[in-house]
Amino acid sequence: MPVPMRRLIFINRFFAPDHSATSQILSDLAFDLAGAGREVHLVTSRQIYDDPRAALPERETINGVDVHRVSSTGFGRTALLGRSIDYVSFYRSVRRCLNGLVRPGDIVIAKTDPPLMSVVAKPIARRNGARLVNWLQDIYPETAVELDVPFMRGPVAASLAALRNAALRDATATVVVGDMMGRKVETLGAPAERIHVIPNWCNDEDIRLIAPADNPLRQQWNLADKFVLGYSGNLGRAHEFETVLAAAERLHSESRIAFLMIGGGKRFAELSAEVQARGLAGAFRFLPYQARTLLSYSLGAADAHWVSLDPRLEGLMVPSKFYGIAAAGKPIIVIGDPNGELAQLVQRNDCGFAVAPGDSETLTAILRRLSETPQKVSEMGARARQMLDGHFTRRQGLARWRQLLDQLDAG
């Protein structure tokens, strides 16, 4: 006799049609589960990631997912105080929504935008006889402490961590996006048998290798005769750019090497300003986020890509842009802890390089070598795609989630 499928209630601040990274991954999963016949509810905000003034419909059904959008303030991400007020208003609205939505036997899956969402969901799930699943994209408040966010040290951080640890201990399952995160949450009290590592993914079925000569964006962006080091996505507080900037200074007289920046974020404008101040504007191209339908071309416009993560944040998060680069078949230069999660992956699969923050000399040597050996670039890129196809495709990620939820249905 088949096991009945439990209702699923996801919580995250953003959902389709929003195109931020966490929204895209959640949308993929929710649509897949609804398509398989599950009843899926999504509690989210009415906002768009880069437009806090947006007012999406309060209720609608998208691809079989019942979307409940709640109100929150719209100060945006610019200032800490305004962002904090946005978080608190969203928590309150979510609590009201969940009180009327959660039923006995439901599975409530809380993501981490805003942080500590599981702390809000835990008492409601318990009171209504539902199960709680943590889906951690990062670990908070430790991330805020390491990034020196004001007021996030001492008693405040300790109190928030205690609430978070209670949610980890009591949850039916905790899903993390990397092995190091899994080990970290175990030290924080999550039972080892309830920790599940499900890496993030990208739309790898739609991203294909585009030969440089066949990519119109290289011509359009004046990169046709260059070796291009690219960056695609958010450049925020967790990401270091000084190493790349110093390498660009070392390569200032070598016009064949260019740097392509596509995306946005708090540090994107900071890097642009530094490039201008140091007289490096000729070597850099700064472009906004490109349409998802153009991802093969925008990622393919670079010969290699870099990702970075502050070493203090290893085990607390995993940059999801890594998977899109691998899907595009490009070598990956990881600027961060050489023993970190992504650094170990690229070294183990021989599809890129690990560079310690501040080691611009090594980065410069890598770029010179790659610019002179196109065959090596091609081979490393092919191995990056093979790594993704073997371990990190969207189909594999969705299958891991279905397997976990089937286990919870039966438990």
Side-chain angles (χ1 to χ4, degrees), residues 27-46:
S27 300
D28 284 346
L29 178 58
F31 296 152
D32 179 77
L33 294 169
R38 283 188 175 270
E39 182 177 345
V40 181
H41 295 261
L42 207 303
V43 180
T44 187
S45 76
R46 301 183 66 191

Side-chain angles (χ1 to χ4, degrees), residues 270-320:
E270 293 176 17
L271 175 57
S272 179
E274 282 294 321
V275 165
Q276 293 290 336
R278 301 190 193 192
L280 298 171
F284 279 80
R285 313 285 189 275
F286 288 90
L287 295 157
Y289 286 104
Q290 303 295 297
R292 200 178 187 191
T293 54
L294 293 176
L295 207 51
S296 293
Y297 293 95
S298 60
L299 289 171
D303 297 286
H305 282 257
W306 62 281
V307 299
S308 74
L309 183 65
D310 188 318
R312 297 174 296 173
L313 302 181
E314 281 292 346
L316 302 180
M317 63 175 62
V318 179
S320 57

